[in-house]
Amino acid sequence: MTLQRGGRNICGISIGVLSLESYFPKPPGHIKNPSSLPFTTAYEILDGITVPELLNRPSPAMVGRLIEAAQRLERQGVHAITGSCGFLALFQREIAESVRIPVFLSSLIQVPLVWQMTRAPVGVLTASAAALTPRHLAGAGADGIPLEIQGLEDTQEFASVILRNERNDMDLDKVEAEVIAAGRALVARNPAIRAIVLECTDLPPFAFSLQQALALPVFDLVTLSGMIHQAALRQAYKGFT
């Protein structure tokens, strides 16, 4: 007889997501679209904390809510915790210290890894370069690394929907074109870039097209989540000798 411990309402969840409140589309590749992800997910919705709120008015009051949500996810049995916005890097240390499972709130955590792999300036595409501060980079362990940063705050479709929350409907073709244009501007400004990190969780759905346009490795939250999933839930290798 194999005795398995109980005590959980739902089982089989890999990654828990601290989710900002937002109602714009999340196409396949978005961390808040579980139908496209190669791992199971659970979500804690942070009602009232929106993208504009986090980017423009982050406050210490958010920390308590994030900790409570992270601890709820841990009690549910998730094996690691991420977030639905890369700017949550601001609170990486506090959340990681509040639970006993791995926490990776921002894809920016990959910046030191990319720097070590390439020894070249790391290209970062972010929702808003103006809002991305040294505190965010320090939270992700990315301070002191040579970066080239390109924001999307001056775009039309992306900025109006995601940054200013003016409406919920979004033209995905327009956003894709804006992301590719931003990537090309980034590389044109610094041709030494050998890899791109997408800070924003709304950008991975366009990562394939971006790579086709730039011919560079593209790292994002989904690539990071896949690595954490495989590390936290190892499976036996299949093969033969």
Side-chain angles (χ1 to χ4, degrees):
M1 182 181 71
T2 300
L3 181 65
Q4 185 171 359
R5 293 182 62 185
R8 293 176 181 167
N9 189 27
I10 301 173
C11 296
I13 305 170
S14 174
I15 305 294
V17 185
L18 298 172
S19 302
L20 272 59
E21 184 179 10
S22 64
Y23 300 98
F24 50 76
K26 282 86 177 177
H30 199 291
I31 195 69
K32 289 174 74 174
N33 183 339
S35 73
S36 65
L37 303 173
F39 42 83
T40 52
T41 50
Y43 297 87
E44 278 288 327
I45 306 300
L46 301 162
D47 293 329
I49 303 181
T50 63
V51 173
E53 194 73 15
L54 178 62
L55 269 61
N56 302 318
R57 294 173 293 277
S59 70
M62 294 179 181
V63 178
R65 291 191 59 195
L66 288 163
I67 288 175
E68 291 174 0
Q71 291 173 341
R72 284 195 297 271
L73 285 169
E74 184 177 35
R75 289 194 296 270
Q76 288 181 45
V78 306
H79 294 267
I81 294 173
T82 189
S84 73
C85 179
F87 281 79
L88 287 170
L90 204 58
F91 310 116
Q92 169 68 32
R93 179 181 62 82
E94 291 89 342
I95 308 308
E97 290 175 350
S98 74
V99 296
R100 296 176 60 85
I101 55 179
V103 173
F104 57 109
L105 293 187
S106 175
S107 63
L108 292 173
I109 288 176
Q110 295 170 107
V111 167
L113 174 65
V114 173
W115 160 242
Q116 291 297 336
M117 289 192 293
T118 64
R119 304 304 293 182
V122 180
V124 175
L125 276 185
T126 177
S128 173
L132 186 61
T133 70
R135 287 182 60 208
H136 294 92
L137 297 174
D143 50 334
I145 292 174
L147 303 175
E148 194 70 47
I149 300 172
Q150 177 68 43
L152 291 159
E153 60 264 46
D154 295 327
T155 58
Q156 294 183 358
E157 190 71 6
F158 180 93
S160 64
V161 176
I162 294 175
L163 296 182
R164 297 193 295 272
N165 201 21
E166 294 174 355
R167 51 190 162 85
N168 292 325
D169 297 339
M170 185 166 68
D171 187 322
L172 299 181
D173 290 337
K174 287 183 180 179
V175 174
E176 181 178 64
E178 291 170 345
V179 170
I180 291 173
R184 284 176 171 154
L186 182 68
V187 173
R189 197 164 61 247
N190 193 337
I193 291 169
R194 292 171 55 192
I196 305 289
V197 176
L198 305 181
E199 168 277 318
C200 180
T201 58
D202 303 304
L203 301 186
F206 312 105
F208 175 78
S209 297
L210 183 66
Q211 185 172 75
Q212 294 296 105
L214 302 182
L216 290 173
V218 177
F219 296 79
D220 59 42
L221 188 66
V222 176
T223 62
L224 178 59
S225 296
M227 181 179 72
I228 302 301
H229 162 74
Q230 292 188 37
L233 292 164
R234 296 302 303 249
Q235 302 294 311
Y237 289 112
K238 297 180 181 179
F240 57 89
T241 58

